[in-house]
Amino acid sequence: MGSMTGLLLANAEAAQVAGGHEVSGGVTAVFALLLLAMIAALALEEKIHAKKSVIVGVFAGSCLVLATALDLLPFGKVTLPPLAGEAEGHSIEMPVYIPAIDWGVITIILGASLFVEVTSRSGVFTWMAISLTKKSGGDPWKLLLAYGILTVVFSAMLNNVTAMIIIGSLTGVSLTKLKRTDLLLGFLVVEGLLTNVGGLLTLISSVPNIIVGGIAGIGFVDFFLVAAPYVVIATATTLWMGRWKFGIHGLKGEEERAAAKALVAGFDENESVPSRKFFWFSIGALVLFVAFLAGQSVLPVLKELGMGFVALSFAGLVLIAYKHEVDKFYQAIDWDLLAFFAGLFVVINTMEHAQVLAVIGSGIEAMIGAGVNLGTGLLLVASAVASSVTDNIPLAAMLAKILKNNPADYSANAPYWWSVIFGANLGGNITPIGSASTVVAMTIISKHKLPLSFVGFVKLASLFAVVQIIIAVVYVVGLTMAGVFSVTSG
Amino acid sequence: MSRLDQIDEFESLFRRSEREEFVFADIPIESVALVTGDESNQSVQDSLKRFLPRIGEAAAWHGIGSGDFSNVAELLEQIDAQQVDLVVTRRHLQEENLSPQHSLGVYLDELTQRTSIPVLVLPGTARTPLELSTEPCRRVMMVADHISGDHRLINYGMRMCTEGGTVWLCHIEDDMVFRRFVHAIEQIPEITSEPGATLLEEQLLKEARDFIETCFGTLRDEGPNVSLKSHVAMGHHVTEYRRLIDENEIELLVANTKDDDQLAMHGMAYSLSVELTDVPMLLL
């Protein structure tokens, strides 16, 4: 972090000419320090006992006041694009911090989390988890395969944190039933590491994907087609490494297999399904949700209304099933996360006006200037390292904005977007505070009183994380060399 | 809801989906020891063969007369030597002159706790023995305050019932204990009293119902030809079982007496065996 401060201060003068308006180097440096302070506060979130939204809210308010006092923000009416046949668009009065927020991202997260909250009440996810547990026959290796794949699928369909909570809880219960708690630590570490791999699968699987994909203009299907092969390779590698590192092997004797099978056969997958009708309705809604997200960019009307509208519409649709108690689901929304995003976008917007992003961009420019392949690899590794010690969401938002503002005007298939996406997601696997899902994994590990410290986690997980990051670098650079990605103007 | 609460919620959900599958086993009873206070034990043997025809098929009957032992250690030694599968005895054995009313007697008490051999307690006491029914036992009730996973209780109960008879699988949750928990819940602001108490009651009874359901499924496929009935409720053990015994004209009660955490007999089994003296009981 100290070297980053030096870089910012050294480049402060450059800021004067980097942006569209005059900003002194000193002002840029002050805002840069505010940004660093916010990143540090987010990294120490647990220590200072403050929620993300409060931390970012304080910095957003401070940045707004300071930027207004220094005359950095463009106050005035906001003009909407004109309708066909009109010369000018409609102008409306709007507080300066409202258009700073990326409402597309907020609506996707709000709609998708409400949709997932309601459909998960149908028991479909727990049903899948218990069914696969029974299919494994209680064999530890088959169980690790089943839980690993489920973690990836749930991380992709729900979100990393919910996936870790569901699979981590079931792992504790099933290994206790099988009297194999000696394997619990290995299972939980592997699952924690796989949440961030699964978070790469689709455009809406993780927030960095939504932010970077949205700014870059990557479509749902294009995202999936690029990410899926990597997810398959990284999942298989992680599971194999988990088997080797934690000694998770299959059962050998027929008697052992029969005893384990009898134990897991006692699970009833239908216990958590309150209504068969709603169960099937939820499965249908999930399939349609994915189909509509995939087709949104080409479907008339939806193409204009965007992915956020699709997510909100599906949330509304499934809420009809619980129309008398929708307030219960509204309470379950992660308002801290949404307020955090809103505040974060405001901070980034002021940083843009204070030329801080231009200064960081010049540092990234130097990285990219090393050549397409080397630059792609360097950016991916740098994103991963930065993401391992701080929240990957501000990192992704900031880097995406910097790449967007780059004069080269990168198209959606530039490799740098993918460097940020892969780096921001996978960096979370290096330390236990690198991502929310690894924090959950640590919470479950501590709940079961398993001995694993911060350093212990880094020692265990870093080997997995390094291998995943190396595979990602080879994959993204390989696709660039194969011509799938190219550095062309958008 | 905090992360820890969410983890806890899902763990509860998964634990609730765990089912204990009943495993049927046809218990072999090939050797029976009669310790009834009579020297010959012949009349007891004859009436037992009529009352429990399936036990009557046992190959070996060993009579242990009152002169064969003078303390618990000697009696246990004799039983060990015979390697029996069932001990038949009476309450207040060799304590006829003490006229106790609120105990089982030293021998019965020790027999149930110091051996793993089931003890069939004849009705009445050693001082005032009651006759066994002259008809085969066709109405057996297995009682527990925690029936889930008690395979042994059910398998022994099935073994005792005559072909074509009826067995009752019963679980009574002590409402006095439950009320104490509810009272505690009512004093904890973090737990909403009404749903807390209702959900707790539902879950306690659900566990028993789920296990009985698996018992029924297995017994219909693999068990002997008997009718299966169940009763799961909240209530006072002795009062509720007394009512069920009278209403259903139960001829044999089967209960578990062992408590892993203590040397003394399980509380519910003790109170039932002291108070319900007119019904033959198989104590496990």
Side-chain angles (χ1 to χ4, degrees), chain B residues 73-201:
Chain B
E74 284 176 18
L75 176 59
L76 291 174
E77 218 170 89
Q78 295 244 7
I79 288 171
D80 278 351
Q82 311 281 6
Q83 292 195 316
V84 296
D85 302 313
L86 179 72
V87 176
V88 180
T89 191
R90 292 188 190 282
R91 291 173 184 83
H92 311 150
L93 196 67
Q94 295 195 358
E95 292 174 4
E96 290 85 345
N97 297 330
L98 299 175
S99 304
Q101 289 185 347
H102 298 93
S103 79
L104 298 171
V106 172
Y107 286 102
L108 177 53
D109 217 352
E110 293 273 329
L111 272 175
T112 58
Q113 298 308 298
R114 287 179 62 180
T115 73
S116 58
I117 305 164
V119 179
L120 180 67
V121 186
L122 298 170
T125 65
R127 186 184 171 92
T128 51
L130 299 175
E131 289 298 316
L132 280 171
S133 165
T134 52
E135 296 297 314
C137 171
R138 295 172 59 86
R139 306 174 81 81
V140 177
M141 183 181 277
M142 304 152 212
V143 299
D145 57 359
H146 186 77
I147 201 163
S148 304
D150 204 338
H151 308 262
R152 191 165 177 257
L153 176 86
I154 292 153
N155 282 324
Y156 266 103
M158 297 304 293
R159 187 71 175 82
M160 295 294 153
C161 190
T162 309
E163 288 272 326
T166 307
V167 296
W168 277 259
L169 276 63
C170 302
H171 172 104
I172 303 287
E173 200 71 44
D174 193 330
D175 59 355
M176 289 277 280
V177 177
F178 180 73
R179 274 204 297 272
R180 270 198 54 222
F181 285 125
V182 171
H183 185 61
I185 288 174
E186 283 167 352
Q187 294 172 52
I188 303 170
E190 288 83 359
I191 303 176
T192 317
S193 307
E194 184 51 38
T198 312
L199 292 171
L200 183 62
E201 180 179 338

Side-chain angles (χ1 to χ4, degrees), chain A residues 37-63:
Chain A
M38 184 189 81
I39 291 169
L42 284 172
L44 299 171
E45 182 194 354
E46 301 281 327
K47 297 272 178 211
I48 55 179
H49 300 294
K51 289 280 183 187
K52 278 188 173 69
S53 57
V54 176
I55 296 170
V56 174
V58 168
F59 281 96
S62 310
C63 287

